[in-house]
Amino acid sequence: DVKVTQSSRYLVKRTGEKVFLECVQDMDHENMFWYRQDPGLGLRLIYFSYDVKMKEKGDIPEGYSVSREKKERFSLILESASTNQTSMYLCASSPPGQGSSEAFFGQGTRLTVV
Amino acid sequence: AQSVTQLDSQVPVFEEAPVELRCNYSSSVSVYLFWYVQYPNQGLQLLLKYLSGSTLVESINGFEAEFNKSQTSFHLRKPSVHISDTAEYFCAVSYNQGGKLIFGQGTELSVKP
């Protein structure tokens, strides 16, 4: 069974903390993505990566950074957490291609910033 | 800007009734279309997709969607829903940009007995 695993299902962090969200996939996929899910807004792309040590900004990168040191792992970093970053975060991976490939999602991390 | 619009945020229906969840996307020369489903407290999983060929695509659990290029739509339908279909449904589009998906706002389908 193919798998995308996010390290935490639920997180509670304080304003100003540096937060790491980890994602690991076991499908040897080149592409990895971080989305944020909010009610009424659907999923919005934060960052994505097509290869190790490569990253590109998505639609809402402000306040976030990412790291991809190994092919299977893609980390999302909140440099200084704020309450407006309280959300559900979803990681996904997909094989290389021009958009026709299915994306596989992790179960999500629900982050609350207090 | 490229976008996807799901016209209904919530759709309540009774069990065994038909349902249609609407999705429209901004026009493009080349597009791939997807429907994903999210059951409570879970991640998204692929329900069905249109890549090319027949404009009507089906899933294994009775859903179908029709690609309509002239109306830039990809509506999802099921002739008879079950309680277990209660979930949030997301329409997504890929504009041939290396796997990036653009999602709609989501539609919560609530099936009542």
Side-chain angles (χ1 to χ4, degrees), chain B residues 7-50:
Chain B
L7 296 163
D8 306 294
S9 60
Q10 294 180 322
V11 174
V13 294
F14 287 106
E15 195 174 17
E16 298 183 3
V19 70
E20 178 179 77
L21 308 183
R22 297 179 291 170
C23 173
N24 287 88
Y25 60 95
S26 54
S27 181
S28 177
V29 174
S30 177
V31 64
Y32 303 110
L33 295 157
F34 304 80
W35 276 99
Y36 283 84
V37 59
Q38 185 180 36
Y39 297 104
N41 298 314
Q42 295 187 26
L44 276 68
Q45 52 188 279
L46 182 69
L47 187 61
L48 49 74
K49 62 183 178 183
Y50 170 78

Side-chain angles (χ1 to χ4, degrees), chain A residues 9-10 31 33 35 37 40-43 45 48 50 90 94 97-103 105-108, chain B residues 32 34 36 38 41-46 49 51 88 90 94-101 103-106:
Chain A
R9 292 295 302 275
Y10 301 94
N31 302 337
F33 308 86
Y35 289 90
Q37 181 182 3
L41 298 177
L43 278 72
L45 183 63
F48 60 101
Y50 292 145
L90 291 166
S94 69
Q98 292 304 311
S100 60
S101 301
E102 173 187 353
F105 284 82
Q107 291 201 301
Chain B
Y32 303 110
F34 304 80
Y36 283 84
Q38 185 180 36
N41 298 314
Q42 295 187 26
L44 276 68
Q45 52 188 279
L46 182 69
K49 62 183 178 183
L51 304 181
E88 189 155 21
F90 292 93
S94 172
Y95 286 93
N96 214 22
Q97 294 175 355
K100 279 172 53 179
L101 291 169
F103 284 87
Q105 301 89 335

